[in-house]
Amino acid sequence: MRLALALLIAVLLSGCESVGFYAQAIGGQLGVMRAARPLDSWLTDPETTPQLRERLETARGMREFASRELSLPENGSYTSYADLRRPYVVWNVFAAPRFSVEAKRECFPFTGCVSYRGFFSEGLARQHAERLRAQGYDVYVGGVPAYSTLGWFDDPLLSTFIRYPDVQLARLLFHELAHQVVYARGDTTFNESFAVAVEEEGVRRWLRAEGRMGELAAFRAAQARKREIAAAVAETRMRLASVYASEISEDEKQARKAQEFARLRAQHGNFIPTEPNNAFLVSVAVYTQLVPAFERLLAEQGGDLPKFYARVRELAASERSIRDPLLAQRP
């Protein structure tokens, strides 16, 4: 019923292209829900392979840890499993103007404005990307293994990520559950950076609880490498923002833009797309820009996650003119 109501409202509020977008989104969500079966059904099914059974049991243990030790929601999310028979559940399309490092905003009736548009079909995502390119935008398309319905529905475990290594599986589950704790309407960077901070703290606590100290050291090293790349992307974005705001010609801006992306590729080529652009910078920034700020907030609460969540809810409820300067403060 909620899906039907959402589609009706979307039709009333939208033009033809948007109606098509909402139809695929709601149809995609219905498809995920129809494919989901309770974990016990999969675990007792003789056709379930031993490998899948082991992954589902592992995920169930992580799910219990999330509520018991991380104070993440205890509900029906991730108590079922769906085999989608495709590599990703959705594909996100990020776009930014040719001479801007700010995302093209996509606004919706329920979630407010976000920094991307998601599609349950790769083909539809790439069609949308081509339309944006034809309009002069820089575009970046990325496959996504999981997403959160923010507690509206019981999100299932998915075939798109269930076979991830343990650390990555835990990271993803904790991240998506964090979205159910706090959601700041219209602020993608706030929401994603908060969820990343929760996932990283959660993984560290889970590995310590499991006594997997060698993997904890490897996880810390991997996170340090990711921070290094994120910092390089942030520096590139900052320099380009200055270039784009300058009075030089468009030809000069294009040349400087090419130079900056060539430098980024030279520094971190294995982790940067062959042809990076402004939209790629946006796709990284939304997941990394405010992570240090949320880590500082957690430290200020003495590592107490419920107190941390309460403080973040206060910030989410405040005006951006208030919370942005607070989050921008250095330790």
Side-chain angles (χ1 to χ4, degrees):
M1 289 298 293
R2 282 181 289 182
L3 281 169
L5 178 61
L7 179 57
L8 175 61
I9 293 173
V11 169
L12 293 175
L13 294 179
S14 308
C16 292
E17 181 182 355
S18 294
V19 170
F21 170 76
Y22 286 120
Q24 69 83 31
I26 293 172
Q29 174 63 28
L30 283 171
V32 171
M33 294 170 64
R34 282 195 297 266
R37 289 163 41 197
L39 287 184
D40 284 342
S41 172
W42 288 95
L43 292 170
T44 58
D45 188 336
E47 295 189 7
T48 299
T49 66
Q51 294 81 5
L52 176 58
R53 187 174 289 109
E54 183 275 329
R55 300 314 294 153
L56 295 177
E57 291 282 16
T58 297
R60 173 181 275 180
M62 293 171 177
R63 178 67 184 88
E64 293 170 353
F65 179 89
S67 295
R68 185 180 67 249
E69 302 296 335
L70 305 179
S71 299
L72 291 170
E74 186 172 4
N75 54 30
S77 290
Y78 308 113
T79 61
S80 61
Y81 171 72
D83 186 350
L84 300 184
R85 302 181 185 279
R86 60 180 188 262
Y88 298 105
V89 60
V90 294
W91 285 259
N92 284 345
V93 180
F94 293 85
R98 180 185 175 198
F99 295 129
S100 173
V101 294
E102 299 302 323
K104 178 184 185 295
R105 307 277 280 165
E106 301 281 1
C107 299
F108 308 104
F110 303 103
T111 59
C113 296
V114 296
S115 299
Y116 55 84
R117 181 173 284 212
F119 294 84
F120 283 88
S121 160
E122 182 179 11
L124 291 177
R126 298 203 177 277
Q127 288 175 21
H128 182 66
E130 285 305 313
R131 286 194 294 270
L132 291 172
R133 288 192 184 97
Q135 296 170 30
Y137 286 99
D138 282 8
V139 180
Y140 176 73
V141 180
V144 180
Y147 66 93
S148 172
T149 59
L150 308 179
W152 277 57
F153 306 100
D154 290 336
D155 299 320
L157 298 165
L158 300 175
S159 55
T160 51
F161 62 80
I162 194 64
R163 290 178 174 80
Y164 280 9
D166 284 1
V167 166
Q168 299 307 316
L169 179 58
R171 181 189 64 76
L172 188 147
L173 289 178
F174 302 158
H175 181 107
E176 299 305 334
L177 285 168
H179 283 312
Q180 297 185 22
V181 174
V182 180
Y183 183 79
R185 183 179 171 86
D187 195 340
T188 305
T189 302
F190 180 98
N191 296 323
E192 295 298 346
S193 294
F194 164 71
V196 169
V198 172
E199 80 176 49
E200 293 188 355
E201 179 65 17
V203 168
R204 288 191 289 268
R205 295 188 185 197
W206 179 75
L207 287 172
R208 282 195 293 267
E210 293 285 308
R212 297 162 72 161
M213 305 311 291
E215 290 176 73
L216 176 58
F219 177 72
R220 290 184 185 278
Q223 296 311 107
R225 287 194 297 272
K226 289 175 63 176
R227 297 291 175 90
E228 180 183 349
I229 296 165
V233 168
E235 290 168 5
T236 300
R237 191 175 183 223
M238 182 175 62
R239 288 193 296 267
L240 282 174
S242 178
V243 169
Y244 297 154
S246 70
E247 298 298 324
I248 62 177
S249 69
E250 289 196 353
D251 286 345
E252 289 175 295
K253 289 180 181 179
Q254 186 61 42
R256 294 281 296 278
K257 178 181 179 180
Q259 291 170 3
E260 286 294 341
F261 283 124
R263 176 179 359 189
L264 184 62
R265 283 274 302 161
Q267 291 175 335
H268 302 286
N270 292 337
F271 304 95
I272 307 298
T274 305
E275 297 182 2
N277 57 29
N278 298 333
F280 168 73
L281 298 181
V282 168
S283 75
V284 174
V286 297
Y287 287 92
T288 60
Q289 185 174 329
L290 295 177
V291 173
F294 286 113
E295 291 177 335
R296 171 171 52 80
L297 290 177
L298 178 58
E300 289 173 357
Q301 303 303 321
D304 187 305
L305 286 170
K307 290 182 179 178
F308 169 61
Y309 298 155
R311 178 63 180 130
V312 176
R313 286 192 192 96
E314 291 176 1
L315 290 173
S318 67
E319 296 293 332
R320 291 195 63 170
S321 60
I322 296 173
R323 72 169 177 257
D324 285 356
L326 291 173
L327 292 170
Q329 292 176 1
R330 298 292 181 181

